């Protein structure tokens, strides 16, 4: 459906259950509905209102324990948070990725040239190209799309804004070209590769894993190439606790 039809569904409450699965509380759902509708309006203004669109989200993460142990073969306990990067995206047929993020210039990546470029270190376009390149190397189909994004995962806050962005990009590609089949752990590894090789940051895997798997997650990195990942079922709402 196009942007206006998606906004009508949001207004009618038809996506409330989907929002609640991500944002949990009724108050947060109400706030997020306005946020997504604003981004849908931005997409229509940027790329046209007649395009078929999809909504995507990837959360930031916090480390409950295990600071920097991920790249030292240790164990971590991480958790996704209710601050996230979101996108309105639409598939295109020209083999080019265009991503307009709030407050930033349009990022354009031609999928015909996905070689790493040190001059692009630190730029979000590098992450877009890195995720596409790694998925292609692994045998996944990649293709062009147009997207607008916004994020309330604050840059430089230690909540992994870059990992959230990488997981968001991988989710878009998986939705349009992979049928939603990409395993969360593989998706995290793809994001880490993009950050290490294309963005120029030698991070471990905890950031991307926390965003990709979601919820609270325990990870054993004794073998970094094959981390042992276990979801930790814990309901902060029912316990009367909050993670701040």
């Amino acid at each position: 459906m196009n942007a206006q039809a998606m906004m009508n569904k949001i207004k009618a409450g038809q996506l409330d259950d989907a929002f609640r699965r991500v944002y949990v509380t009724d108050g947060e759902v109400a706030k997020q509905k306005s946020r997504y509708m604003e981004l849908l309006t931005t997409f229509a203004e940027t790329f046209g209102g007649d395009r078929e669109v999809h909504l995507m989200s990837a959360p930031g993460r916090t480390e409950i324990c295990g600071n920097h142990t991920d790249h030292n073969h240790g164990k971590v306990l991480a958790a996704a948070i209710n601050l996230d990067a979101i996108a309105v995206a639409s598939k295109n047929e020209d083999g080019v990725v265009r991503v307009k993020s709030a407050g930033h210039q349009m990022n354009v990546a031609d999928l015909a040239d996905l070689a790493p470029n040190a001059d692009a270190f630190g730029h979000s376009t590098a992450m877009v190209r890195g995720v596409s390149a790694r998925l292609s190397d692994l045998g996944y189909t990649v293709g062009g799309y147009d997207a607008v994004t916004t994020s309330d995962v604050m840059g430089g806050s230690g909540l992994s804004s870059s990992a959230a962005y990488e997981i968001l990009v991988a989710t878009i590609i998986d939705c349009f070209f992979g049928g939603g089949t990409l395993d969360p752990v593989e998706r995290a590894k793809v994001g880490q590769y993009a950050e290490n090789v294309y963005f120029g940051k030698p991070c471990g895997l905890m950031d991307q894993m926390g965003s990709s798997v979601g919820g609270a997650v325990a990870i054993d990195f004794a073998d970094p190439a094959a981390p042992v990942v276990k979801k930790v079922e814990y309901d902060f709402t029912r316990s009367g606790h909050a993670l701040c």
Side-chain angles (χ1 to χ4, degrees), residues 35 57-63 79-81 83-86 101-102 104 107 122-125 127-128 131 149-170 191-192 194-195 199 201 203 206-212:
R35 184 177 176 224
S57 164
R61 72 95 193 99
T62 187
E63 54 195 69
I81 58 175
L83 303 174
D84 62 349
I86 64 173
S101 297
H104 298 275
N107 292 317
H123 297 283
S124 53
T125 303
M127 290 185 279
V128 172
V131 169
T149 77
T150 187
S151 179
D152 55 13
V153 187
M154 298 79 71
S157 63
L159 298 174
S160 297
S161 58
S162 59
Y165 188 78
E166 291 151 5
I167 298 305
L168 185 67
V169 170
Q192 182 199 24
E195 186 144 348
F199 192 68
K201 179 182 176 182
C203 69
M206 178 183 66
D207 298 354
Q208 291 80 6
M209 196 76 81
S211 179
S212 184

Side-chain angles (χ1 to χ4, degrees), residues 49-174:
D50 59 343
R51 303 273 297 277
E52 180 177 341
V53 296
H54 293 255
L55 309 181
M56 316 282 181
S57 164
R61 72 95 193 99
T62 187
E63 54 195 69
I64 299 173
C65 64
N67 194 335
H68 291 293
T69 57
D70 55 338
H71 47 83
N72 286 288
H73 301 253
K75 300 177 181 180
V76 302
L77 181 62
I81 58 175
N82 64 349
L83 303 174
D84 62 349
I86 64 173
V88 176
S90 180
K91 183 179 178 181
N92 68 43
E93 304 297 334
D94 58 12
V96 175
V97 175
R98 303 174 188 85
V99 181
K100 177 64 175 70
S101 297
H104 298 275
Q105 295 182 336
M106 181 84 72
N107 292 317
V108 180
D110 188 340
L111 299 181
D113 179 16
L114 291 176
N117 179 1
D119 292 338
F121 281 3
H123 297 283
S124 53
T125 303
M127 290 185 279
V128 172
R129 296 176 70 249
V131 169
S132 299
R134 186 57 177 164
L135 286 171
S136 179
D137 290 344
L138 293 172
Y140 293 94
T141 299
V142 299
Y145 58 89
D146 300 309
V148 294
T149 77
T150 187
S151 179
D152 55 13
V153 187
M154 298 79 71
S157 63
L159 298 174
S160 297
S161 58
S162 59
Y165 188 78
E166 291 151 5
I167 298 305
L168 185 67
V169 170
T171 301
I172 294 171
I173 297 172
D174 186 33

Side-chain angles (χ1 to χ4, degrees), residues 10 15-24 29 33 36 55:
I10 293 175
L15 298 182
D16 282 7
D17 287 344
F19 284 130
R20 195 169 288 109
R21 285 195 297 272
V22 177
Y23 300 106
V24 183
V29 167
K33 287 167 71 170
Y36 279 86
L55 309 181

